[in-house]
Amino acid sequence: MYPEYLINIDKVSKLSEEEKVALKEVTQKYKFRSNEYYLSLVDWEDPEDPIRKIIIPQMGELEEWGSLDSSSEKNYTVQRGFQHKYRDTALLLVNDVCGGFCRFCFRKRLFINPGEEVSRNVEKEIEYIKDHKEITNVLLTGGDPLLLSTKKLKDIITKIREIDHVKIIRIGSKLFSFNPYRIIEDESLLDLIEENSTREKRIYFMMHFNHPKEIQKPSIEAIDKVLKSGAIAVNQTPLVKGINDNSKVLSELFKKLSFYGVPPYYVFQGRPVKGNKPFIVPVEKGFTIFLKSIASISGLAKRPRFVMSHKTGKIEVSSMTKENIIFRYHRAVDEDNYKKFFVYKRNPNAYWYDDYKDLKEIYQF
Ligand code: SF4
């Protein structure tokens, strides 16, 4: 069963006519996309249903807030659709469409201006990676790379695999949740994984489950198939208001994922991106929810870090006291920052690192 995609909010039969008319205004600004499978997971009787909040637009998106490139990805773009921010990892934006459009997407600029930021022909990028021997990881992202044809994906992966110093190919994908049939029903995709995830050089799937309700039987089957094909899997999710800003929900998500062989990897503070105001949780509130969620789960389930993908690096919220909040760089553009802890006075109204103004101390080891 390969589900049909919907790009017009008018086609969502469970919405009332009034809702469709009102939401049209939102979708003219921030595109809508979903599919029959994913919409079938929504409980339409429940206005707070998390799947609904992930995929169905809401009027609050129109509130003016944030920017379209809140992590300054532009600064790290060396060629169109190709970013090199951290020494050992390069990013290839290979697609500008997803199995659905998460309403809180941090890269929605790709859907607003399709074609502008995607690497269509990876020749130049491959040359760059060949010349930069420090690059050991290449992340295929977008958009969703698994929405490319397997033939196109094979072409890209084969070219990367010819570069000896690239050991890990990461594939960022939410299709395990949006449309697991893309994986289950394509043997040639599984063959491609098997051929290219070897003992020495693995393929990692960076999965994107936001809520335990997304992990349905077809998702579990898709996870199982890629693991059996030799890939490794981890999960990353933002902490999103109304979807998973609840310690019990997050705990359940982490536990389930660990049971199915997908250890949680990152929990992201929502970025200050245009249209995302309804989904943002203050940093300190989010960190508290995160700490509670991992308090009493097994070690394998409690591996994620709570981080902000800031323009200067991945800043982890390390700890909090009554007065202060302590940050450290998990990934840093300026590698000197790895040796430091940044202690700021707490600010319960902060949504982002830049909202912390009162620096108390930089502890250096
Ligand atoms: S899967 Fe990722 S890139 Fe695609 S819409 Fe969701 S957040 Fe954006």
Side-chain angles (χ1 to χ4, degrees), residues 306-334:
F306 185 70
V307 297
M308 278 176 270
S309 263
H310 190 255
K311 61 186 175 199
T312 58
K314 282 205 175 67
I315 303 175
E316 180 179 1
V317 184
S318 254
S319 193
M320 259 186 338
T321 67
K322 215 168 160 193
E323 299 282 315
N324 299 324
I325 182 163
I326 301 156
F327 300 104
R328 65 173 280 279
Y329 277 84
H330 179 61
R331 303 292 280 135
V333 176
D334 174 355

Side-chain angles (χ1 to χ4, degrees), residues 53-66:
K53 292 205 167 176
I54 291 170
I55 204 72
I56 299 293
Q58 47 179 288
M59 297 307 288
E61 293 175 37
L62 295 175
E63 189 177 335
E64 274 309 318
W65 193 67

